[in-house]
Amino acid sequence: PVLGQEKQEYFDPGPQLRRFLRSRAITKLMRKRATDYFITGNAWCRFILSRDRSRIALIQHADSSTVRSQVMKKQSKRVENFYVCANWMQPSFRKSSQTQERADNANVRMYPAFREEEPGRFLQSLHQSRLYWTGKPYYGTQPWHSGHEWLTYGTQMPIWMRSNIQKAMNIKYH
């Protein structure tokens, strides 16, 4: 133990949760979420509850490049829904007035936002993890994004300096 602090007890989650955390599926999910979080500052996962809504039956990764946020509601100041589409260049939305055949061609799917205060409210929901960034209420931004131009400039400086040293002419008498 560290001086001045009490010894902390080891938390045992139990065999069922330990088996879940060591599974290949959760390892794959966490790697995908970590990659999305590093590159975009956002990570989404889809929670699918059991029929009786007493437990989470499945957790799936949602690629951050395919998810868009709905505009926040003024009263609640929160995003109520997320939209998932594999091809945002050509989205087709499902409308309630369409026939079932035409509705099946829709490639945009709406999911309600996961609510921590009501986890069993929806059978399927999306949960967003993001970095808070001032002035960006919908999506996170990685801190290194602001330095991207400096990274490009910084890699060009050594090339310029080496070229200047090799091709420069030192005039002895001036």
Side-chain angles (χ1 to χ4, degrees):
V2 179
L3 294 175
Q5 292 183 357
E6 295 181 22
K7 183 179 178 183
Q8 295 182 357
E9 295 295 321
Y10 172 73
F11 171 72
D12 184 20
Q16 193 174 16
L17 186 56
R18 223 180 4 260
R19 187 171 44 254
F20 169 74
L21 291 173
R22 290 184 181 147
S23 70
R24 290 183 72 190
I26 197 69
T27 303
K28 190 176 178 181
L29 171 77
M30 295 311 257
R31 283 186 180 150
K32 287 179 178 181
R33 285 179 53 84
T35 302
D36 279 352
Y37 198 71
F38 174 74
I39 293 171
T40 67
N42 299 284
W44 277 273
C45 65
R46 184 168 66 141
F47 293 123
I48 301 173
L49 301 179
S50 61
R51 290 180 195 249
D52 64 353
R53 299 179 187 214
S54 62
R55 64 183 184 87
I56 297 172
L58 185 63
I59 302 174
Q60 291 181 331
H61 172 258
D63 186 7
S64 64
S65 66
T66 63
V67 182
R68 302 291 182 266
S69 295
Q70 183 183 43
V71 176
M72 286 185 183
K73 301 289 184 187
K74 289 183 180 179
Q75 297 85 10
S76 64
K77 302 278 189 198
R78 66 168 31 166
V79 174
E80 299 289 331
N81 297 300
F82 295 109
Y83 297 92
V84 178
C85 179
N87 183 9
W88 280 107
M89 298 298 285
Q90 296 176 337
S92 59
F93 295 90
R94 179 174 295 181
K95 294 183 181 176
S96 58
S97 62
Q98 290 180 328
T99 63
Q100 187 61 34
E101 291 176 16
R102 293 186 71 198
D104 288 339
N105 292 334
N107 65 354
V108 177
R109 185 107 194 248
M110 183 183 78
Y111 292 98
F114 178 79
R115 294 185 178 178
E116 293 176 10
E117 62 273 6
E118 299 175 279
R121 183 172 179 189
F122 304 107
L123 281 175
Q124 293 187 29
S125 59
L126 278 181
H127 180 266
Q128 180 187 21
S129 303
R130 69 181 183 93
L131 285 173
Y132 171 76
W133 200 261
T134 305
K136 299 223 177 208
Y138 298 105
Y139 305 104
T141 302
Q142 286 292 34
W144 60 267
H145 283 199
S146 61
H148 183 69
E149 292 300 319
W150 283 104
L151 291 172
T152 305
Y153 177 72
T155 57
Q156 292 173 352
M157 282 306 295
I159 296 168
W160 176 80
M161 291 173 76
R162 185 177 49 226
S163 176
N164 193 23
I165 290 169
Q166 290 174 350
K167 297 176 183 175
M169 186 184 319
N170 291 332
I171 300 172
K172 193 171 193 178
Y173 303 104
H174 56 278

